[in-house]
Amino acid sequence: MALLGKFGFVVAAVGAAHFVVPEAFEEITAAAFPQDTQDWIQRNGITEVAVGTALMVPPTRKLGVLGLLGYAGWLGYNAANNSK
């Protein structure tokens, strides 16, 4: 499996962990989404599973990279705007 495929597995596993141990993601999620944090933990988990899966599958790998970049930018934007 290519490096991006392995990275995709890690991203998907972290996404799944949002449902197993949501409290582990509460502090970081609250920084970006101070309101409805619990809902956003689940939404972020679903997004990470989807992006990670896209990275694992060669035909969707480029879409996965674009999704990862967009998702990371969106999270960073929200964290920066809510830290004020």
Side-chain angles (χ1 to χ4, degrees):
M1 186 183 299
L3 183 60
L4 273 177
K6 291 177 184 177
F7 182 68
F9 179 80
V10 171
V11 172
V14 170
H18 282 67
F19 299 96
V20 179
V21 285
E23 61 275 3
F25 301 94
E26 193 161 335
E27 186 176 339
I28 193 165
T29 303
F33 306 102
Q35 299 166 342
D36 300 324
T37 301
Q38 296 304 314
D39 288 340
W40 281 105
I41 290 171
Q42 293 180 351
R43 292 174 188 176
N44 290 339
I46 290 168
T47 301
E48 290 172 20
V49 168
V51 168
T53 301
L55 290 170
M56 285 189 283
V57 181
T60 60
R61 201 162 278 157
K62 288 181 183 178
L63 181 62
V65 169
L66 290 174
L68 181 63
L69 293 172
Y71 177 62
W74 178 70
L75 285 176
Y77 173 81
N78 280 298
N81 281 338
N82 288 308
S83 68
K84 296 174 183 176

